[in-house]
PDB file of all heavy atoms in Angstrom:
ATOM      1  N   SER T1535      -7.498 -11.562  28.878  1.00 93.00           N
ATOM      2  CA  SER T1535      -7.088 -10.519  29.808  1.00 93.00           C
ATOM      3  C   SER T1535      -7.368  -9.114  29.269  1.00 93.00           C
ATOM      4  O   SER T1535      -6.983  -8.141  29.892  1.00 93.00           O
ATOM      5  CB  SER T1535      -5.603 -10.640  30.172  1.00 93.00           C
ATOM      6  OG  SER T1535      -5.387 -10.053  31.437  1.00 93.00           O
ATOM      7  N   GLY T1596      -5.152   0.964  33.610  1.00 96.00           N
ATOM      8  CA  GLY T1596      -5.069  -0.003  34.688  1.00 96.00           C
ATOM      9  C   GLY T1596      -3.736   0.055  35.410  1.00 96.00           C
ATOM     10  O   GLY T1596      -3.679   0.145  36.648  1.00 96.00           O
ATOM     11  N   ALA T1597      -2.648   0.006  34.652  1.00 96.00           N
ATOM     12  CA  ALA T1597      -1.333   0.014  35.280  1.00 96.00           C
ATOM     13  C   ALA T1597      -1.117   1.302  36.068  1.00 96.00           C
ATOM     14  O   ALA T1597      -0.487   1.308  37.131  1.00 96.00           O
ATOM     15  CB  ALA T1597      -0.244  -0.151  34.219  1.00 96.00           C
ATOM     16  N   GLU T1600      -2.779   0.871  39.310  1.00 98.00           N
ATOM     17  CA  GLU T1600      -1.964   0.045  40.215  1.00 98.00           C
ATOM     18  C   GLU T1600      -0.914   0.916  40.897  1.00 98.00           C
ATOM     19  O   GLU T1600      -0.719   0.856  42.116  1.00 98.00           O
ATOM     20  CB  GLU T1600      -1.242  -1.051  39.426  1.00 98.00           C
ATOM     21  CG  GLU T1600      -2.155  -2.105  38.849  1.00 98.00           C
ATOM     22  CD  GLU T1600      -1.420  -2.996  37.861  1.00 98.00           C
ATOM     23  OE1 GLU T1600      -0.179  -3.099  37.938  1.00 98.00           O
ATOM     24  OE2 GLU T1600      -2.085  -3.588  36.995  1.00 98.00           O
ATOM     25  N   THR T1631       1.710  -6.373  34.639  1.00 94.00           N
ATOM     26  CA  THR T1631       1.823  -4.990  35.104  1.00 94.00           C
ATOM     27  C   THR T1631       2.003  -4.920  36.612  1.00 94.00           C
ATOM     28  O   THR T1631       2.515  -3.930  37.115  1.00 94.00           O
ATOM     29  CB  THR T1631       0.570  -4.169  34.731  1.00 94.00           C
ATOM     30  OG1 THR T1631      -0.590  -4.899  35.136  1.00 94.00           O
ATOM     31  CG2 THR T1631       0.510  -3.891  33.243  1.00 94.00           C
ATOM     32  N   ASP T1702      -6.106  -6.274  41.926  1.00 97.00           N
ATOM     33  CA  ASP T1702      -6.107  -5.879  40.516  1.00 97.00           C
ATOM     34  C   ASP T1702      -7.458  -6.291  39.956  1.00 97.00           C
ATOM     35  O   ASP T1702      -7.707  -7.459  39.689  1.00 97.00           O
ATOM     36  CB  ASP T1702      -4.961  -6.589  39.781  1.00 97.00           C
ATOM     37  CG  ASP T1702      -4.944  -6.262  38.287  1.00 97.00           C
ATOM     38  OD1 ASP T1702      -6.000  -5.882  37.748  1.00 97.00           O
ATOM     39  OD2 ASP T1702      -3.876  -6.404  37.663  1.00 97.00           O
ATOM     40  N   ASN T1726     -10.655  -1.417  35.400  1.00 97.00           N
ATOM     41  CA  ASN T1726     -10.407  -0.858  34.080  1.00 97.00           C
ATOM     42  C   ASN T1726     -11.745  -0.511  33.429  1.00 97.00           C
ATOM     43  O   ASN T1726     -12.439  -1.398  32.941  1.00 97.00           O
ATOM     44  CB  ASN T1726      -9.665  -1.886  33.204  1.00 97.00           C
ATOM     45  CG  ASN T1726      -8.173  -1.891  33.448  1.00 97.00           C
ATOM     46  OD1 ASN T1726      -7.717  -1.489  34.514  1.00 97.00           O
ATOM     47  ND2 ASN T1726      -7.416  -2.318  32.468  1.00 97.00           N
ATOM     48  N   HIS T1728     -12.117   0.843  30.724  1.00 96.00           N
ATOM     49  CA  HIS T1728     -12.020   0.563  29.289  1.00 96.00           C
ATOM     50  C   HIS T1728     -12.048  -0.930  28.991  1.00 96.00           C
ATOM     51  O   HIS T1728     -12.017  -1.308  27.837  1.00 96.00           O
ATOM     52  CB  HIS T1728     -10.773   1.219  28.696  1.00 96.00           C
ATOM     53  CG  HIS T1728      -9.514   0.942  29.472  1.00 96.00           C
ATOM     54  ND1 HIS T1728      -9.272   1.493  30.702  1.00 96.00           N
ATOM     55  CD2 HIS T1728      -8.447   0.173  29.204  1.00 96.00           C
ATOM     56  CE1 HIS T1728      -8.112   1.078  31.149  1.00 96.00           C
ATOM     57  NE2 HIS T1728      -7.582   0.262  30.258  1.00 96.00           N
ATOM     58  N   LYS T1729     -12.089  -1.775  29.978  1.00 96.00           N
ATOM     59  CA  LYS T1729     -12.322  -3.188  29.668  1.00 96.00           C
ATOM     60  C   LYS T1729     -13.747  -3.552  30.042  1.00 96.00           C
ATOM     61  O   LYS T1729     -14.535  -3.964  29.205  1.00 96.00           O
ATOM     62  CB  LYS T1729     -11.350  -4.078  30.446  1.00 96.00           C
ATOM     63  CG  LYS T1729      -9.955  -4.066  29.876  1.00 96.00           C
ATOM     64  CD  LYS T1729      -9.004  -4.911  30.695  1.00 96.00           C
ATOM     65  CE  LYS T1729      -7.599  -4.821  30.110  1.00 96.00           C
ATOM     66  NZ  LYS T1729      -6.606  -5.368  31.034  1.00 96.00           N
TER      67      LYS T1729
HETATM   68  C1  LIG M1333      -5.286  -5.102  31.252  1.00 76.38           C
HETATM   69  C2  LIG M1333      -4.838  -5.445  32.594  1.00 76.38           C
HETATM   70  C3  LIG M1333      -4.022  -4.557  33.317  1.00 76.38           C
HETATM   71  C4  LIG M1333      -3.443  -3.285  32.737  1.00 76.38           C
HETATM   72  O1  LIG M1333      -4.399  -2.362  32.293  1.00 76.38           O
HETATM   73  P1  LIG M1333      -3.947  -1.201  31.280  1.00 76.38           P
HETATM   74  O2  LIG M1333      -5.146  -0.330  31.175  1.00 76.38           O
HETATM   75  O3  LIG M1333      -3.577  -1.870  30.013  1.00 76.38           O
HETATM   76  O4  LIG M1333      -2.786  -0.497  31.895  1.00 76.38           O
HETATM   77  C5  LIG M1333      -3.682  -4.903  34.605  1.00 76.38           C
HETATM   78  N1  LIG M1333      -4.100  -6.049  35.150  1.00 76.38           N
HETATM   79  C6  LIG M1333      -4.882  -6.924  34.475  1.00 76.38           C
HETATM   80  C7  LIG M1333      -5.317  -8.200  35.153  1.00 76.38           C
HETATM   81  C8  LIG M1333      -5.269  -6.660  33.183  1.00 76.38           C
HETATM   82  O5  LIG M1333      -6.017  -7.540  32.518  1.00 76.38           O
END
Side-chain angles (χ1 to χ4, degrees):
S1535 206
E1600 292 169 23
T1631 50
D1702 178 337
N1726 277 24
H1728 49 289
K1729 284 178 182 167

